[in-house]
Amino acid sequence: MNKPCADKSCFAHKGESCALGETDLAKCDSWCATITDDKSEEISITATTFRVPWSGSALGLADMANLSPRGRTILIGVLGAHDAGKTTLLTGNYLQLLQGKLLANAGFAGSRTLGAWEALAAWTRFDDAARPALFPPHTPRGTSRVPGLLHLALRNTKGEFRDILLADAPGEWFTRWAIKEDAPEAEGARWVVRNADAFLVFADCNRLATSNPERGKARNELRQILERLGNHVGDRPTTMVWAKDDIEPNADIRSSIQQTLTRQIPHALEVSSSTNRPATLTKAMETALCPAWSPVPATYLVEPVLHHQPFSAFRGSHAYA
Amino acid sequence: MHTPEILLLGGPDSGKTHFAGQLYGRLKRNPGLLELRDTPADLSALEEVLHCLENGHAAEHTSAGTWTDVLLPLRDKHGNELDLRWPDYGGEQLLTIFTERQVTEAWRSELRLADGWLLLIRLKKETTYPDALTELANRSSDSNGTTARAGNWDGNARWVELLQILLHVAGLSTVAHLKQPRLAVLLSCYDELAVDNQLPSQVLAKNLPLVSAFIDSIWKPSAISIWGLSALGCLLEKNSDNENFINQGPEHQGWVVNPDGHKDADLSRPLAWLLGVE
């Protein structure tokens, strides 16, 4: 096994390309800095082969550095309690793209995380009678400070190219964050909320249904997330997704959640989604994606009129801007 | 004289060798848009396939380590002369690029020099999974098993990842539409598919929708063309002795389907399009 490169953002030892672009690793200073005096240690990655700077798995922070210079990236924060259907919605969107469908009026233009997408999609496929198809498994709560990011590149009919990053974070992070904002295990949740361009907040209709004994707890968790998010969201687009809406949530619970939503995040939109109707999964994603597609334009500087004489026109905004 | 480079991309069993053999026969003995000026100096790469086709049976599999090429001295119908190096290699090399995620120096220089990429996809051999999400919702789904599943990648994802790797290694950015290299997609063994009056591009979009969307997003529309190809016109086995091949000659077998849906016996047409000969 190779030692990692001295450069922390380089993953050459994992088979990706050198972060400094050296094709022959023996010529790379960072790589050589890791080589110990022990001559017996053989480095298998020596030949001048050309590699790519992504592995196909979910992206981390170092990988974003490769993507962000090439165009506008849109980070969608996916928030919700454990098992609310966050990963299923993401997988559903990938499966729709696999069918050649458009997302937010844009066509698929590549992905750096096809391995991760395929691993999620593999759960839903009936390829083997011994392994029945299932919904994607629970996203594990890791110690990582940043969630694994799933990537999609899209190009719309006008030729605009966007890198979409989807933060598929474990639900426990947000539940914890809602209770204690600076909890150490909520670092990932804080990162998502700080950096996301748009939010999808999940309400799990199944857990909010009248027949579910946990509905009160579920409502509490969701309202806490909404109340916490309200402090941070600003005017970023936010969409409330009523997931698994083939089950009707309790009417009182629903209206109390809607009240919280209107008070905390007045500009939030609401959509319903269900895996029974795959189109609703893309619709939910589009509700968050479309408003974030173009950056908010800068507002014009307005020069205040101090005296109605051209000579006294206020030029302060130019002088001190 | 301009020596255009064509890169032929096709996995194992996608029909590269048969296409090369049939293309040679066309250029030499039954020319269309392109024809050969002289007989190539070295035909050893095509020796085996030409021999097999004359006898009406299929050629052997090209071994994985092979990389040979034939220099084809061509002339178009306007009298312009050009030399084309036609590569032949074991399709496993393309699989290796995908599995090991690395490209050798030889491949990289081919990728960078190529004026056109010729992508050979045999749709019958691609594994795709029909969308199971809706069916899934009808099942009880409370128990999420914990066993990891290793299942194969969908053919769509495999081709897209391979193209992404090749584009990256060739130093091509995907942010703007690509004009160079031009891309011709040949849907090989087109006779195996049930296509009812669909254009080759529609057949690709139906069978590999993600690949089709990817290609449309990355290349400029004028730099892509999608063709159907049946190099032999029918299925030949290793032990068959097809009478038509033996009597009429292999140069009268096989056809392409133009991007506009017309069948054409001139197998050099996709090549002529890639080289800009109209």
Side-chain angles (χ1 to χ4, degrees):
Chain A
M1 194 58 213
N2 286 298
K3 291 197 169 195
C5 180
D7 184 347
K8 289 278 185 295
S9 65
C10 178
F11 300 96
H13 63 289
K14 296 253 178 82
E16 291 187 22
S17 60
C18 168
L20 299 178
E22 287 289 353
T23 52
D24 187 356
L25 288 175
K27 287 185 190 151
C28 176
D29 291 342
S30 316
W31 180 260
C32 291
T34 61
I35 299 175
T36 51
D37 295 331
D38 183 7
K39 291 273 187 267
S40 63
E41 179 151 9
E42 198 62 39
I43 291 166
S44 60
I45 307 169
T46 47
T48 47
T49 52
F50 297 86
R51 292 169 175 277
V52 290
W54 71 91
S55 67
S57 324
L59 302 177
L61 270 191
D63 304 301
M64 280 181 72
N66 280 321
L67 277 178
S68 49
R70 73 176 191 175
R72 177 170 165 79
T73 53
I74 301 171
L75 176 68
I76 308 256
V78 185
L79 277 66
H82 158 69
D83 195 32
K86 302 186 290 295
T87 307
T88 301
L89 182 113
L90 299 180
T91 314
N93 274 282
Y94 174 68
L95 291 174
Q96 290 288 93
L97 284 173
L98 263 185
Q99 306 285 306
K101 306 249 165 59
L102 297 177
L103 181 61
N105 268 330
F108 175 80
S111 166
R112 290 274 168 103
T113 58
L114 279 172
W117 284 121
E118 281 294 307
L120 287 177
W123 290 89
T124 66
R125 290 176 180 155
F126 299 86
D127 61 331
D128 184 348
R131 294 181 308 181
L134 297 166
F135 284 99
H138 172 56
T139 307
R141 165 163 47 176
T143 47
S144 156
R145 294 168 57 236
V146 170
L149 298 170
L150 292 163
H151 172 245
L152 285 176
L154 297 176
R155 191 198 298 280
N156 73 2
T157 41
K158 289 186 222 155
E160 293 169 334
F161 186 91
R162 295 287 184 269
D163 282 308
I164 317 294
L165 296 168
L166 303 158
D168 183 21
E172 290 90 342
W173 285 6
F174 295 105
T175 318
R176 188 72 198 128
W177 171 74
I179 300 289
K180 187 164 187 274
E181 190 170 326
D182 56 356
E185 57 274 41
E187 173 67 36
R190 286 198 294 279
W191 185 89
V192 170
V193 172
R194 203 164 49 236
N195 293 293
D197 296 290
F199 294 100
L200 286 171
V201 187
F202 278 73
D204 182 349
C205 293
N206 186 20
R207 281 184 80 208
L208 298 170
T210 316
S211 58
N212 197 317
E214 285 202 355
R215 60 188 183 278
K217 182 169 171 251
R219 173 181 61 185
N220 183 34
E221 281 180 4
L222 181 58
R223 286 209 290 198
Q224 280 174 338
I225 290 180
L226 288 175
E227 283 157 5
R228 180 72 70 199
L229 184 63
N231 292 348
H232 299 275
V233 69
D235 51 7
R236 287 178 278 180
T238 307
T239 303
M240 175 92 180
V241 183
W242 295 93
K244 313 182 192 174
D245 86 326
D246 41 309
I247 302 160
E248 185 65 30
N250 181 293
D252 292 335
I253 289 184
R254 185 177 193 135
S255 73
S256 65
I257 290 171
Q258 279 167 332
Q259 275 174 20
T260 311
L261 185 67
T262 337
R263 202 168 50 245
Q264 295 295 329
I265 313 170
H267 63 274
L269 300 170
E270 287 180 64
V271 289
S272 296
S273 79
S274 162
T275 45
N276 293 332
R277 292 167 286 126
T280 58
L281 301 176
T282 20
K283 181 79 180 46
M285 180 64 79
E286 284 171 353
T287 323
L289 196 51
C290 289
W293 185 271
S294 298
V296 182
T299 45
Y300 285 104
L301 287 177
V302 180
E303 295 173 352
V305 178
L306 300 180
H307 296 282
H308 289 279
Q309 275 181 347
F311 185 72
S312 307
F314 180 71
R315 294 281 181 248
S317 61
H318 296 296
Y320 303 110
Chain B
M1 190 196 309
H2 178 51
T3 310
E5 299 268 345
I6 295 285
L7 190 70
L8 182 68
L9 299 167
D13 224 4
S14 61
K16 290 185 299 299
T17 307
H18 283 146
F19 182 45
Q22 283 293 73
L23 185 66
Y24 174 76
R26 280 298 197 291
L27 294 170
K28 190 70 193 165
R29 300 182 189 128
N30 185 12
L33 279 178
L34 294 170
E35 62 173 330
L36 280 175
R37 302 197 300 276
D38 307 300
T39 305
D42 181 5
L43 275 179
S44 45
L46 297 177
E47 181 189 354
E48 153 111 26
V49 58
L50 292 177
H51 176 76
C52 290
L53 291 176
E54 291 285 353
N55 286 321
H57 56 82
E60 288 294 322
H61 179 74
T62 313
S63 63
T66 315
W67 184 301
T68 51
D69 45 45
V70 188
L71 189 75
L72 300 173
L74 297 177
R75 177 172 31 209
D76 68 16
K77 60 179 185 194
H78 306 298
N80 300 319
E81 300 187 345
L82 43 94
D83 283 347
L84 179 71
R85 287 201 313 111
W86 185 265
D88 194 27
Y89 58 87
E92 286 82 0
Q93 294 187 25
L94 212 59
L95 277 188
T96 314
I97 291 181
F98 172 74
T99 50
E100 296 185 1
R101 310 181 65 79
Q102 57 177 332
V103 178
T104 59
E105 178 68 56
W107 265 87
R108 180 173 182 257
S109 59
E110 295 285 332
L111 282 166
R112 291 180 64 93
L113 288 173
D115 302 271
W117 292 7
L118 200 58
L119 199 62
L120 239 65
I121 302 180
R122 188 171 175 183
L123 292 174
K124 250 304 181 42
K125 294 265 168 182
E126 297 298 333
T127 319
T128 53
Y129 302 94
D131 186 10
L133 201 62
T134 34
E135 287 175 62
L136 186 58
N138 300 330
R139 301 188 156 206
S140 68
S141 54
D142 291 328
S143 61
N144 271 332
T146 48
T147 44
R149 10 187 91 209
N152 283 329
W153 281 33
D154 190 286
N156 280 294
R158 244 170 21 80
W159 272 110
V160 170
E161 185 74 344
L162 181 66
L163 285 171
Q164 289 189 135
I165 292 175
L166 296 177
L167 285 166
H168 186 91
V169 169
L172 297 164
S173 157
T174 54
V175 175
H177 279 296
L178 285 177
K179 283 180 240 162
Q180 279 289 339
R182 291 180 130 201
L183 178 75
V185 181
L186 298 187
L187 305 174
S188 64
C189 305
Y190 208 61
D191 50 299
E192 293 176 336
L193 306 168
V195 288
D196 18 80
N197 287 327
Q198 295 181 77
L199 299 179
S201 54
Q202 292 168 329
V203 175
L204 179 67
K206 189 173 148 228
N207 287 277
L208 294 175
L210 194 75
V211 177
S212 171
F214 178 74
I215 289 174
D216 286 342
S217 299
I218 299 301
W219 271 273
K220 230 179 147 58
S222 60
I224 325 166
S225 74
I226 297 165
W227 308 68
L229 166 74
S230 176
L232 305 178
C234 61
L235 181 70
L236 288 191
E237 300 285 352
K238 298 244 164 31
N239 52 4
S240 62
D241 40 6
N242 188 302
E243 296 285 328
N244 291 339
F245 274 74
I246 299 174
N247 297 337
Q248 297 167 10
E251 66 270 21
H252 295 286
Q253 312 299 325
W255 36 264
V256 292
V257 177
N258 292 346
D260 59 14
H262 288 103
K263 222 177 197 181
D264 194 323
D266 182 5
L267 290 184
S268 68
R269 267 185 187 273
L271 201 59
W273 177 84
L274 269 186
L275 299 172
V277 181
E278 294 299 338

